Structures are given as structure tokens and as C-alpha cells.
């Protein structure tokens, strides 16, 4: 009974968030608001609506490192497809996706088998891409002193991080992602994952990550994934990375 109520309380927060872009990084606050505004009614479950977070910059903002056409298709078609699939699933399986995204992803095993792979791929894809848009931006930012010190401590410096990260990303066979995860005490680690899997699926938090599906780079780089990986560091928004690092340590980083 107690767990049932916990689940109901969680429902309200996910619905209110709708997982819009505005919720990124702000979930702690929105969550608290939702819990006080939305009483847990037994028979009032609005359908979960997933929305595509707007790109926080123009399609051509990352040129020449990532071209405008790639960004337009990647955001407007690939990410949108995850959103469409999730909305179809949310209508077909009422209630199952009505929880904060990070809570669903860390407990995929509890979902019915019919929904599990769908959630793994599409909710994973939604989380990964929402993070990816956020941590990129106009070229030119630099790691601040706090992040620089952490990178020095955990990797021996930025160049070593970049080399290790790019090596992990280059080794992804087929489609997948490379991530830098951040623990609650601020320790960084590199992880590669296949498909749309995410460290969120192990309850971890992602500081930043790079998409190494071919759709992320093929128009410009074709088979030259290493060139994309190298160039991608130019568009990593270090200001955003710092913000996410602080949120991770404060326990407010969501996805
Ligand atoms: Mn992608």
C-alpha cells in the first residue's frame, strides 16, 4: 500500500514536468511544486505527454564542427521519433511511463516485457539527446578552474580525458554513446554504451556525452568517426558542464 502511494505521488510530478526542456536541470524545483499542487487522486491520471525540448541554439550554431543539416535532422527527425514513440506507448500503456524519466530508466526491469525494450530505446534516446543538445553550444568556452582541477585529478588533464574519451567512443561497435559520468561525490569516469543505453540505467548521472550513431556525423564526416570525435570537443559547452557538475554534487542533476 505504501509503495502504491509513492507511485501515485510520483505520477503527478512526471505529468507536470512533461519532460519539457524547461525541466532540464530544474526538476528538483518543479518536482516540489508539482507535489504540492497536485493531490494524488486515484482516478485522475492525465496521459503522459512527451515533448521535444527545443534546441537551445540555431541549427548552424555548431558549424563547422557539426553542420546545420545534421543538426536539423538529428533534432527534428531522430529525437522527434523517440518522442512520437513514447507518446504512442504512453497512450497504449496508461500509467507505465508516468514517472520521472530517471526513475523509469534505473528500474527498467520492473516494466512489463512488452514495454521494456520500447522504454529502453526511446526513453533512453530521449534522455541521451536532451542531454546532448544541452551540453553543446557556440564554440569557445573553456573548462573553469573547478572542472579543470577535477579533470586533472581524475584523468591527469584535459588532453588525457579527450584521448581516453575519444578512444572509448571510437571503439563503440555500430551505434552508441560515450559518456563522462559523475558520482554524487564528484568523481568522473568514462563509459561507452551501445544503442540508446545510458548510465542512468544503472542509477548513475551523466556529466556529458557524445552521440556516435552515424546520423550524428555522417553527412559531414562519412566514415571518419575519429575526425568527428576530435572536432566535437570544440562545441562542448564547458559552462553547461560546470553547471551540471554542481548539480550532480548537489543531487539535483536529473538526466
Ligand atoms: Mn542521435
Amino acid at each position: 500500500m505504501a509503495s502504491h502511494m509513492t507511485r501515485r505521488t510520483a505520477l503527478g510530478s512526471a505529468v507536470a514536468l512533461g519532460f519539457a526542456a524547461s525541466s532540464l536541470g530544474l526538476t528538483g524545483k518543479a518536482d516540489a511544486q508539482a507535489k504540492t499542487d497536485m493531490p494524488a487522486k486515484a482516478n485522475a491520471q492525465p496521459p503522459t505527454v512527451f515533448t521535444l525540448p527545443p534546441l537551445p541554439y540555431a541549427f548552424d550554431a555548431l558549424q563547422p564542427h557539426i553542420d546545420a543539416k545534421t543538426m536539423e535532422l538529428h533534432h527534428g527527425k531522430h529525437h522527434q521519433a523517440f518522442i512520437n514513440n513514447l507518446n504512442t506507448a504512453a497512450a497504449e500503456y496508461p500509467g507505465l511511463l508516468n514517472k520521472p524519466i530517471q526513475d523509469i530508466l534505473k528500474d527498467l526491469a520492473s516494466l512489463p516485457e512488452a514495454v521494456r525494450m520500447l522504454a529502453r530505446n526511446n526513453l533512453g534516446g530521449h534522455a541521451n539527446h536532451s542531454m546532448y543538445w544541452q551540453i553543446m553550444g557556440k564554440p569557445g568556452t573553456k573548462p573553469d578552474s573547478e572542472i579543470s582541477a577535477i579533470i586533472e585529478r581524475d584523468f591527469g588533464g584535459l588532453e588525457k580525458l579527450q584521448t581516453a574519451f575519444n578512444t572509448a567512443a571510437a571503439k563503440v561497435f555500430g551505434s552508441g554513446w560515450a559518456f563522462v559520468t559523475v558520482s554524487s561525490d564528484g568523481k568522473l569516469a568514462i563509459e561507452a554504451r551501445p544503442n540508446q543505453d545510458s548510465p542512468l540505467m544503472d542509477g548513475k548521472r551523466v556529466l556529458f556525452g557524445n552521440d556516435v550513431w552515424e546520423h550524428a556525423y555522417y553527412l559531414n564526416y562519412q566514415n571518419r568517426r575519429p575526425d568527428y570525435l576530435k572536432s566535437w570537443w570544440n562545441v562542448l559547452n564547458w559552462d553547461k558542464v560546470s553547471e551540471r557538475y554542481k548539480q550532480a554534487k548537489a543531487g539535483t542533476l536529473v538526466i
Side-chain angles (χ1 to χ4, degrees), residues 50 68 77-79 83 96-97 113 115 128 130-131 138 140 150 169 198 211 218 234 236 249:
F50 293 88
K77 302 295 183 192
H78 291 274
H79 193 168
I83 301 296
L96 281 182
L97 302 177
E113 204 176 333
V115 194
N128 285 340
S130 298
M131 172 278 299
K138 195 175 166 63
I150 297 301
S198 160
D211 188 341
Y218 207 85
N234 291 299
L236 180 59
K249 288 186 76 177

Side-chain angles (χ1 to χ4, degrees), residues 2-255:
S3 66
H4 187 67
M5 287 308 293
T6 304
R7 192 179 177 85
R8 288 253 183 257
T9 308
L11 297 183
S13 61
V15 172
L17 286 172
F19 202 62
S22 59
S23 74
L24 296 172
L26 298 172
T27 293
K29 194 177 175 188
D31 218 14
Q33 188 68 29
K35 278 172 186 159
T36 54
D37 288 354
M38 296 189 71
K41 290 182 189 168
N43 296 313
Q45 278 191 30
T48 310
V49 176
F50 293 88
T51 53
L52 181 67
L55 201 63
Y57 36 77
F59 293 131
D60 64 0
L62 310 184
Q63 294 192 132
H65 310 289
I66 303 180
D67 64 281
K69 193 66 185 172
T70 293
M71 290 302 290
E72 186 181 350
L73 293 170
H74 199 174
H75 180 260
K77 302 295 183 192
H78 291 274
H79 193 168
Q80 184 65 54
F82 297 128
I83 301 296
N84 296 346
N85 291 339
L86 288 169
N87 283 328
T88 301
E92 195 173 347
Y93 303 97
L96 281 182
L97 302 177
N98 250 348
K99 282 201 294 184
I101 190 167
Q102 68 276 18
D103 293 351
I104 299 175
L105 289 178
K106 80 173 178 195
D107 195 19
L108 286 171
S110 72
L111 286 175
E113 204 176 333
V115 194
R116 199 176 304 146
M117 190 52 84
L118 188 151
R120 183 173 184 162
N121 289 335
N122 292 283
L123 212 50
H126 182 27
N128 285 340
H129 288 83
S130 298
M131 172 278 299
Y132 181 66
W133 312 133
Q134 290 289 315
I135 54 89
M136 297 191 293
K138 195 175 166 63
T141 59
K142 299 273 181 233
D144 67 15
S145 56
E146 182 187 23
I147 286 289
S148 292
I150 297 301
I151 288 172
E152 186 68 38
R153 181 196 68 189
D154 293 346
F155 301 103
L158 181 56
E159 272 186 38
K160 286 183 178 166
L161 161 62
Q162 289 171 327
T163 300
F165 184 92
N166 288 357
T167 299
K171 278 185 187 165
V172 172
F173 185 77
S175 303
W177 290 75
F179 299 95
V180 169
T181 58
V182 52
S183 66
S184 54
D185 60 359
K187 176 120 179 66
L188 307 186
I190 293 170
E191 286 192 19
R193 299 267 175 157
N195 305 316
Q196 293 299 343
D197 284 3
S198 160
L200 292 169
M201 293 170 185
D202 293 328
K204 298 178 182 176
R205 287 295 176 266
V206 170
L207 183 62
F208 61 83
N210 193 1
D211 188 341
V212 294
W213 284 61
E214 285 186 345
H215 65 231
Y217 63 85
Y218 207 85
L219 292 182
N220 201 15
Y221 296 92
Q222 293 84 49
N223 60 312
R224 302 185 311 276
R225 188 192 286 184
D227 290 352
Y228 159 70
L229 293 172
K230 198 172 167 192
S231 193
W232 177 80
W233 288 94
N234 291 299
V235 297
L236 180 59
N237 181 346
W238 284 103
D239 296 343
K240 197 70 192 176
V241 171
S242 287
E243 194 182 313
R244 290 174 65 85
Y245 186 76
K246 287 179 174 64
Q247 289 171 344
K249 288 186 76 177
T252 59
L253 185 61
V254 180
I255 59 154

